[in-house]
Each structure stands twice: as C-alpha cells, then as structure tokens.
Amino acid sequence: MTDIEQSTKSLENLPTEILINILSYLDEKDLYAVQATCRRFLEIINDEELWKNLFISRIHTRLFPSFSRSAKYSVEYVERNRGLSEWKHNRAVKTKFTVTTQNQNNQLEKMVFEYPRCACYSDGVIMLVQLHSRRRKDRLTYMPCTTPHGCSTMHFNINAAVFGRFDGRVFGKLLTNKSHLCPVTEFNAIHSSSVTAITTSALEDSPEDWCVSGCKSGQVIWWCEAKKRNAIQISDKPILRLALHKDLTVIMDSQQVYVVDKMDNVHKLDIPSNLQLSLVTSLSLHFEVDFGGKLLILGDMAEIYVISINPHQDFGFTKSIHIPDLIEKIFIDDITSKRTQDASVAGGDGCYLGILTGDNSVAIINVRAPGSKLRIQTKLSFVERVHTAQITNLVMVCAFSGSLGIFDASSGTELRVVRKTEKFPQFLGVSHGRMIVGSGNVLHYLQYSDQDFRQKKSGLSQTNRSNKWNEVLNSQLDLYNEDENSRIKELERKERLRQKFVGDLDDEEIQLEIALIESQAASEQFQGTNAQLSPVGQDEELQRAIEESRLAYENLTIPEHLDEDAELLRAIQQSQEEENIQRRLRRSHRRVGPLGEIASSSELSNRLSSPEIEISSVDIGRREAYDEDFEVARALSMQDMR
C-alpha cells in the first residue's frame, strides 16, 4: 500500500464531524476533486452540513439573505459564488446619459432606479429612462410635472409623483399609463389641514396605483387612481412618516406608530423615549420598513431600533444596537424588503441594512436575524469619503469621489473598484446586477451581471449567424452560377443559330443571302416538278417560277443606298436561273433509252418531232438568243463583282 493510499485510508477513519470541519476549509473546485476519491468523501461532500460549515468558515454565520432562493446550502453556495464572480470579473459596460430639462441650469432632485426603468425628477419635468430600449433616441421620455404652488410635501417613485399642499389638497401624476402625457391631476377630496406626509406604493404586480397621505390634524386618507377610497382620523398630532405596501400601512406621529391592515385594523405601539426626544428637538430620524419581514427600523444619531410590526406574531418586539459613531444615513436592501420572508430557504432569507457613520465607515446588519440583540455582521472603514451607498442581498456599493467600490455584502471582501465616475456623486442605484450613479443632470449606467454569459451567447449566436450566412451565401452563389451557365449556353445557342441562319436580318449582306437561298429553293422545287412534265410544260413552269421569284424579290424592302447592289443581285439571280435552265436543256439532249443505251441524235430529233412533243424552230432560235443574252449578263455581273 502506497503512502497516498495509507493517508486516504486514515482520513476515511476519522469521525464525520472532524472530516466536515476539515473539508469546510477547501474551495469548491477542491471539494469536487476530493469527492471523486472514495465513496465516503462523496457522501460527506453531498451532505448539507458541510456546506453550512462552508458559510460559517467564510462569513461566520449561517444566517444571510438568500440569493438562489433554494433550500439547499450547496446550491446557495455555488450560485452565490457565481454571482460574486460576475461582479468581480465581468467587464463593465458604461452608458452615459445627459438628462436635460427645460431650464438647462436645473439639477436633478430625485432619482429612482428599478431596472429596466430609471425615473428622475426635476422641478417641472420628469425624465423616464428606458434602459432596455435598443434605440438611443427612444430611451429618454420627458413628461411635464409642474410642482403645485404651495406644495408642503411630495413623494416620488418609479410609478408616480404625488404632492400635498398647505391647504389640504393632494395632486399626483401617474407614470404607468398614458396619463403621463397629461398635467398634474388634483385628487377628488381634500384634508382638513395642511398635508404633512405622503407616499405611494410601487407594486409591479398590481394593476392599480395606491397613495396614502396624512395631515397636520392626524387624518389619513387612502387614494386609488386619484380617487379617495378611505379615511381615518388616526391621531390628534401631525403625521410625520408614512409607508405603504400592499395591504399594510405604517403611520408615525411624534409619539406612536400605527400599523393599519387593509385600511381598517389599527395596531398601535409606542416609539422609544429617546427617539421621541429626537423628534421633539427636530433632530434627524431614520425611518425604514422591511415589509417582507414586517419590521420597522427607526434610528437617531446613535441608536438603531428594529421593531416587529407583525400583528399576528411578536407585535412590538424590539431589538436595538448602539453605534458609537454618528449615524449619517441608513439604507436597506429595497428588493428583499418588499419580498415576503421564507425562512425555509438557505440562510433563513435575511435582509441587510447598511449604516453609514461619521467616521467614514459602513456597518452591515441582518435585521431579520433571530435573537434579542442586533449584531454587526460586517464593518468596512475607508480613507476616502463615502458620499452615498447601496446594498443588495449579494453586494454593497459605495460611491467615492471619482470611483465606485463593490464589496461582498456578507464578508466585506472587495470585489472590484470602478474608476472614472462622478467626482461628487449624489445618486446611486443598484438593481438586477446593474448600477446607476449620477450627479447634476448626468447619469452613468453600468452593467455587470451575466456579462460573460451574454458574451459567450453573443459569440455563439454570431457563429450561428455566420454559419447561416455562409449557407445562404453558398446557395445564392449556386443559383447565380446556374443562371450564369444558362445565360452563356443561351448565348452560344444564339451564336450557332446566327452562324447557321446568318444572324441579324437587318444586315445588307444577309438580305442578299436570303434572296439567293429563296431563289435556290424555288429552282430546286421547279426541278423536282419538272421531272414529271413535258418539255413544253417544263418551259411554262420554268417561266412561271422565274416570274414569281422576280416578283418576290422585287417586293423585298431594300434601302435606297443599296440600289446598285440590288441591281447586281437581280442580275446574279437572273443569271443563276438562266444557267439552271440551260443545264436542264443540256440534260434533255441526253436521254437514256428503255434498255439503258444512250439515244442518238436522230432518235432524239424523231422524239422531238413526234406528235406528243412539238418544238418549233422559232422556239429553238429563241433559246439560242436567250443563251447569248445569258452569257453576256453573266460576264457583266462578274466584271462588276471584280
């Protein structure tokens, strides 16, 4: 047995708990290699306890927000590492938007980012950026939204902008339908006093847009599509804060918090005394609601309180944590906070809260973690000033002067730093693996998530597109070659026909050739018929054929400048016809007898003098004269041709 086999055998003999503890320090790829060595290691690596220990060894807790929404820690671990790897290694695709308003000097006041939309508000104008639009000119939509005169409070989200006035009137503008082309609309009822708080709900799966407003006298009104649905006189003190999500409404005045379920069932709880003091002295109060876990997060400059607002379980249960440094801002994972908690998934489906403090540090707390106390899971300190920050269930993003820092929200590990961003960032949004950072009227849109996958997919589609293009190109080339071959064959066929039939009929030489061909055809036809006629009939047919040929030729259209050639043609034709006649006459002198002998001249003369055939001396003289004329004409024509 080798040393490796002995060491493997000794590891196998260790207790399972020890093996799990040892293997929990290995990386994922090392675990896949170890599980192939033996059956026991395979069973241990497929045990969920090992993957729980992997989380403990890396982030020191088993409680964290779920990324994969799976009940298995092994799946959560793999998916979480994949997501972090995308943020770390993928190339950022940057797009710059300059959001202008009617007044070029106006700056953006509010920005809300929920991919694929980004909404920006400036006094008098709302700009909606459609990030998924392929055509750049269709990405920006400008909507008039003049702030009502005497506005005392407002709220702006991705679905609507609502305003409350000092006289109790409420105005709003919806962004989810064609009404965004209309001006700001006044709601159909008013408060009894000045509006002090107002908010809207941003529900992706709801066909209606809801709004709730509170006034100085403690009245709360629920609105749906600019129409009053319900009203409650919930307090005698001014309403300071409001939060709305689905059927749950959270209302706060200077002393109490009211949790209203379905606009009817009201549950009350007292605000911690030190927070009441902060409200009385007009100090800043931090206010966030985790609707998924039904938790209210309140804080002042040194304390953070997490209060249960679940009417059916632990209502009013409070946990707190003291922050030694000045609390400047708190920010919650907005997407997770609106998603109902599922404790059965890996990590318990927690929700992260970030706390930005005056010493330029950011602390991260899981507000859904069980227990009686809150605990800081990760704390990061920076040299550069953090202007603003956002957190998700996977990463935390901090905006510095001219750069962005991306960190693992669970462990605080730095993933990457993005350079050349805004020097004084005012707005920061993170949604679905994408970020928007901006200041003034300039927004920078950055994409990270799934870049490698999209690039591979794009490369694959490009390859497929290239293959399809090659197939189409080859088929088109085949068709072209076939057409070209057909065209060449047709040209060759026409050339052969032209050579055979003398081609184009407009040529003067072809006209002459056609006349000669017709004359020869007529002569041959005459010879064929003349073989069965008597000499007198032959002469008559011969004269008739000559006359018809002459008339047919005279009917041909010959240009004026070819008159001399036409005369020459007539002479040649006539000479050929006469020569054919003379040839036939010569053949007639040699006749073959019945037994194959050649007839003598006396026999021929007897035949000619027979009653069947009578040839007069006048006819013979006419033939002789005709032969002389023929010879003269032929000589003249030959001389002209020379």
Side-chain angles (χ1 to χ4, degrees):
M1 182 179 296
T2 62
D3 295 339
I4 297 177
E5 292 176 347
Q6 290 179 352
S7 60
T8 304
K9 195 66 176 177
S10 60
L11 283 174
E12 289 182 20
N13 296 330
L14 292 175
T16 302
E17 294 78 7
I18 297 177
L19 285 176
I20 289 176
N21 190 22
I22 294 173
L23 295 176
S24 63
Y25 290 95
L26 298 180
D27 293 331
E28 179 185 348
K29 59 181 181 180
D30 297 330
L31 291 175
Y32 292 146
V34 170
Q35 73 176 358
T37 58
C38 65
R39 183 181 298 274
R40 189 177 183 209
F41 285 161
L42 177 62
E43 294 175 354
I44 293 175
I45 291 174
N46 288 327
D47 189 350
E48 288 299 310
E49 288 297 324
L50 172 64
W51 298 94
K52 291 181 183 179
N53 284 334
L54 285 174
F55 280 102
I56 293 174
S57 64
R58 283 158 177 76
I59 63 176
H60 310 293
T61 182
R62 295 185 181 184
L63 303 173
F64 48 84
S66 176
F67 180 74
S68 65
R69 309 297 296 173
S70 172
K72 293 185 177 182
Y73 280 83
S74 57
V75 175
E76 175 69 23
Y77 186 86
V78 172
E79 290 298 315
R80 200 173 192 85
N81 283 343
R82 182 190 59 81
L84 293 173
S85 179
E86 288 173 357
W87 280 100
K88 183 176 182 179
H89 298 291
N90 293 343
R91 183 177 62 89
V93 179
K94 298 181 182 180
T95 306
K96 181 179 179 181
F97 296 96
T98 302
V99 186
T100 58
T101 60
Q102 294 177 350
N103 185 355
Q104 298 294 330
N105 296 324
N106 282 3
Q107 304 296 311
L108 300 181
E109 299 177 18
K110 295 181 182 294
M111 190 274 290
V112 181
F113 175 40
E114 291 184 14
Y115 183 81
R117 295 186 300 166
C118 175
C120 305
Y121 175 79
S122 181
D123 187 18
V125 180
I126 291 176
M127 287 71 65
L128 192 64
V129 186
Q130 300 286 354
L131 299 171
H132 63 285
S133 178
R134 294 187 177 183
R135 296 194 301 178
R136 192 180 184 91
K137 65 179 182 179
D138 295 336
R139 289 188 173 183
L140 290 176
T141 303
Y142 295 89
M143 295 169 257
C145 186
T146 304
T147 304
H149 179 69
C151 178
S152 57
T153 184
M154 75 162 293
H155 183 261
F156 176 71
N157 66 10
I158 201 68
N159 288 345
V162 290
F163 308 89
R165 286 208 329 182
F166 69 95
D167 57 359
R169 295 182 178 181
V170 178
F171 300 81
K173 183 179 182 65
L174 299 177
L175 311 180
T176 55
N177 52 34
K178 293 184 179 179
S179 65
H180 69 254
L181 300 176
C182 303
V184 176
T185 304
E186 182 177 357
F187 290 8
N188 67 345
I190 63 174
H191 283 275
S192 58
S193 60
S194 174
V195 179
T196 55
I198 192 168
T199 189
T200 62
S201 64
L203 301 178
E204 297 180 357
D205 55 348
S206 176
E208 298 176 325
D209 292 282
W210 284 83
C211 169
V212 61
S213 58
C215 67
K216 189 175 182 180
S217 61
Q219 183 189 31
V220 176
I221 300 178
W222 284 266
W223 315 84
C224 180
E225 304 287 346
K227 296 180 181 180
K228 179 181 176 181
R229 289 299 178 91
N230 195 18
I232 296 178
Q233 185 67 39
I234 205 165
S235 173
D236 57 355
K237 299 179 178 58
I239 304 300
L240 301 181
R241 299 295 177 91
L242 288 169
L244 173 65
H245 183 71
K246 295 184 178 179
D247 295 331
L248 196 64
T249 306
V250 181
I251 306 165
M252 188 181 74
D253 61 15
S254 59
Q255 292 184 354
Q256 287 185 316
V257 173
Y258 307 89
V259 180
V260 184
D261 187 16
K262 297 181 180 179
M263 299 181 293
D264 188 19
N265 301 321
V266 180
H267 306 272
K268 302 179 182 180
L269 57 86
D270 294 330
I271 298 177
S273 57
N274 57 335
L275 296 182
Q276 293 182 18
L277 181 61
S278 298
L279 291 172
V280 171
T281 56
S282 299
L283 296 177
S284 60
L285 178 70
H286 305 291
F287 179 90
E288 293 287 350
V289 180
D290 174 16
F291 286 99
K294 294 186 178 181
L295 299 171
L296 172 64
I297 297 101
L298 297 176
D300 58 7
M301 300 177 66
E303 297 284 340
I304 295 293
Y305 294 86
V306 176
I307 306 170
S308 174
I309 56 175
N310 187 351
H312 308 291
Q313 183 181 359
D314 299 332
F315 182 77
F317 178 74
T318 303
K319 297 184 291 184
S320 65
I321 185 173
H322 176 74
I323 306 297
D325 299 298
L326 180 67
I327 299 176
E328 295 183 352
K329 181 182 178 181
I330 65 173
F331 46 93
I332 196 170
D333 178 3
D334 192 60
I335 295 177
T336 304
S337 67
K338 291 181 173 59
R339 184 177 61 205
T340 303
Q341 182 181 5
D342 183 4
S344 64
V345 302
D349 197 15
C351 181
Y352 281 147
L353 176 76
I355 304 171
L356 177 62
T357 58
D359 64 342
N360 216 31
S361 298
V362 177
I364 299 175
I365 297 174
N366 181 5
V367 295
R368 294 181 183 177
S372 58
K373 293 184 178 180
L374 294 176
R375 185 177 66 87
I376 295 177
Q377 181 171 325
T378 304
K379 184 175 181 180
L380 300 175
S381 298
F382 306 99
V383 176
E384 298 182 53
R385 181 190 173 191
V386 180
H387 292 269
T388 183
Q390 291 292 324
I391 196 168
T392 69
N393 58 354
L394 188 64
V395 298
M396 182 184 68
V397 182
C398 297
F400 306 100
S401 179
S403 64
L404 292 174
I406 304 174
F407 306 89
D408 182 353
S410 299
S411 63
T413 304
E414 181 181 293
L415 300 177
R416 70 184 302 155
V417 177
V418 182
R419 306 292 181 182
K420 298 181 180 180
T421 60
E422 292 295 328
K423 291 185 178 180
F424 303 101
Q426 297 174 284
F427 313 108
L428 178 64
V430 183
S431 177
H432 296 82
R434 299 161 177 87
M435 295 189 301
I436 283 185
V437 59
S439 65
N441 60 354
V442 177
L443 299 177
H444 294 272
Y445 173 52
L446 299 93
Q447 301 179 68
Y448 288 92
S449 182
D450 297 331
Q451 289 298 310
D452 285 344
F453 174 76
R454 283 196 291 270
Q455 289 176 0
K456 293 178 181 178
K457 185 176 181 181
S458 175
L460 180 60
S461 62
Q462 183 69 25
T463 303
N464 294 336
R465 194 182 303 117
S466 177
N467 293 335
K468 292 180 179 179
W469 168 251
N470 290 332
E471 292 176 1
V472 173
L473 180 61
N474 292 332
S475 62
Q476 294 293 335
L477 285 176
D478 293 339
L479 293 175
Y480 172 78
N481 293 332
E482 184 178 352
D483 294 340
E484 187 68 14
N485 292 333
S486 300
R487 187 181 67 84
I488 293 173
K489 290 180 180 179
E490 183 67 18
L491 291 176
E492 292 176 352
R493 187 182 67 83
K494 291 180 178 180
E495 180 65 20
R496 289 195 301 269
L497 292 175
R498 190 190 69 80
Q499 293 177 359
K500 183 176 181 180
F501 297 102
V502 202
D504 193 357
L505 297 178
D506 293 335
D507 196 348
E508 56 180 284
E509 296 180 359
I510 296 170
Q511 298 286 350
L512 296 175
E513 188 69 22
I514 290 173
L516 292 175
I517 292 173
E518 291 179 351
S519 176
Q520 291 176 358
S523 299
E524 292 175 357
Q525 182 179 3
F526 173 77
Q527 292 176 5
T529 57
N530 192 33
Q532 300 177 357
L533 296 175
S534 63
V536 177
Q538 291 179 1
D539 292 340
E540 290 177 357
E541 292 296 329
L542 178 61
Q543 292 297 329
R544 189 180 298 111
I546 292 173
E547 185 65 17
E548 289 177 356
S549 177
R550 183 181 64 80
L551 292 175
Y553 182 74
E554 289 177 354
N555 290 331
L556 291 174
T557 302
I558 301 176
E560 295 180 0
H561 66 278
L562 297 178
D563 290 341
E564 296 179 354
D565 295 337
E567 293 296 332
L568 176 60
L569 178 62
R570 293 192 188 98
I572 294 173
Q573 181 184 3
Q574 186 176 0
S575 64
Q576 288 181 348
E577 292 175 354
E578 292 174 355
E579 185 177 0
N580 291 334
I581 295 172
Q582 187 68 24
R583 189 181 299 111
R584 286 194 292 273
L585 290 176
R586 291 193 190 96
R587 285 198 302 268
S588 66
H589 291 179
R590 300 180 65 189
R591 298 290 183 180
V592 180
L595 299 179
E597 69 277 8
I598 299 175
S600 63
S601 59
S602 60
E603 292 175 349
L604 181 59
S605 61
N606 292 333
R607 292 177 184 175
L608 292 174
S609 61
S610 64
E612 292 85 1
I613 303 175
E614 294 182 0
I615 301 175
S616 64
S617 61
V618 178
D619 294 332
I620 295 173
R622 189 180 300 168
R623 285 187 184 132
E624 291 175 357
Y626 185 81
D627 293 340
E628 291 176 358
D629 293 337
F630 172 74
E631 293 296 333
V632 173
R634 186 173 64 176
L636 290 174
S637 64
M638 294 299 293
Q639 185 177 0
D640 292 337
M641 292 178 65
R642 293 190 187 96

